[in-house]
Amino acid sequence: MAESWTRQAHARMTEVLREGDLAIDATAGNGGDTEFLARRVGPTGKVWACDLQPVALERTRVRLDEAGLWGWCELIAGCHSELVERVGRDRLQTIRAIMFNLGYLPRSDHAVVTQGETTCRALEAASRLLAPGGRLTIVVYRGHVGGPAESSAVEGWLATLDPRDWGVERLGLIEGEAPWLAVVDRRGEGG
Ligand SMILES: C[S@@+](CC[C@H](N)C(=O)[O-])C[C@H]1O[C@@H](n2cnc3c(N)ncnc32)[C@H](O)[C@@H]1O
């Protein structure tokens, strides 16, 4: 189930991503989304991959290295709420694709899990970094402790976006415990 939302997120990102673009994976985890982004943007682009857990960043680094994609990727060790400071204020409104895959890292400590409050601060940071014509995807899980609260927090954040500047699409069931996907577009022409 989660797999299929990840695939959907990739499919939706493929619609906007081009070679040479800048991209961010805000929850690197096992590096699946980072690898996808790095393949799409190629060596003329750049991908930042952020995670709180050293084990996640190490798995991501090894995965990129083995795939020959490491050269145009940079790891950020820390909280994604600090993405603006870590990626750089000179990058505001320049990032074409930003991916969030919330929840906990499979095959790891399930106690380390994304939290509604920091997730919303990170989404705010991401919205400042996103370029006109750029896209943000958020895969949201509700089946774990804290999942429903985080899901509501994400809904609340989406509701703050001005529809004149942002397009928001929700895929999946509104009720229940199943994962769902948000696709958020900053309106305007990409450079
Ligand atoms: C579901 S996993 C991501 C899966 C990943 N996209 C992949 O393809 O393998 C969620 C990740 O978010 C990370 N995480 C949790 N809180 C975070 C935070 N505040 N800042 C950055 N990463 C965080 C966890 O350590 C975990 O690795």
Side-chain angles (χ1 to χ4, degrees):
M1 192 60 176
E3 270 284 293
S4 75
W5 288 112
T6 304
R7 273 204 302 275
Q8 278 272 352
H10 290 186
R12 298 307 305 272
M13 275 307 186
T14 300
E15 294 166 359
V16 299
L17 265 178
R18 306 158 305 192
E19 257 184 57
D21 277 339
L22 305 179
I24 298 174
D25 181 354
T27 50
N30 291 320
D33 293 330
T34 312
E35 179 180 349
F36 160 77
L37 292 168
R39 283 191 193 284
R40 297 299 306 183
V41 304
T44 57
K46 175 156 182 171
V47 181
W48 289 265
C50 175
D51 206 289
L52 268 185
Q53 297 192 74
V55 61
L57 292 173
E58 181 56 14
R59 286 181 195 169
T60 298
R61 190 194 61 74
V62 168
R63 182 174 188 149
L64 293 169
D65 201 24
E66 285 176 359
L69 303 166
W70 177 238
W72 53 100
C73 298
E74 185 178 321
L75 301 180
I76 299 176
C79 180
H80 42 210
S81 59
E82 288 162 15
L83 273 176
V84 170
E85 294 74 18
R86 301 298 300 274
V87 172
R89 287 182 189 279
D90 54 327
R91 302 289 190 182
L92 291 176
Q93 294 203 28
T94 67
I95 310 293
R96 184 85 175 162
I98 306 180
M99 303 189 78
F100 284 77
N101 190 328
L102 302 175
Y104 53 78
L105 178 64
R107 296 186 285 119
S108 183
D109 181 2
H110 290 192
V112 184
V113 62
T114 54
Q115 306 282 340
E117 196 261 326
T118 41
T119 296
C120 288
R121 282 198 281 132
L123 290 171
E124 196 56 37
S127 71
R128 296 175 62 203
L129 289 161
L130 205 65
R135 179 167 282 177
L136 166 65
T137 58
I138 317 160
V139 179
V140 188
Y141 301 91
R142 295 180 284 195
H144 60 280
V145 175
E150 182 174 45
S151 175
S152 300
V154 172
E155 282 282 5
W157 181 79
L158 292 173
T160 67
L161 296 174
D162 185 337
R164 286 170 298 188
D165 301 324
W166 301 92
V168 178
E169 212 183 324
R170 292 173 189 75
L171 293 97
L173 296 174
I174 292 172
E175 303 294 338
E177 292 208 332
W180 58 281
L181 169 67
V183 180
V184 180
D185 290 333
R186 183 192 278 271
R187 299 193 196 283
E189 286 301 309

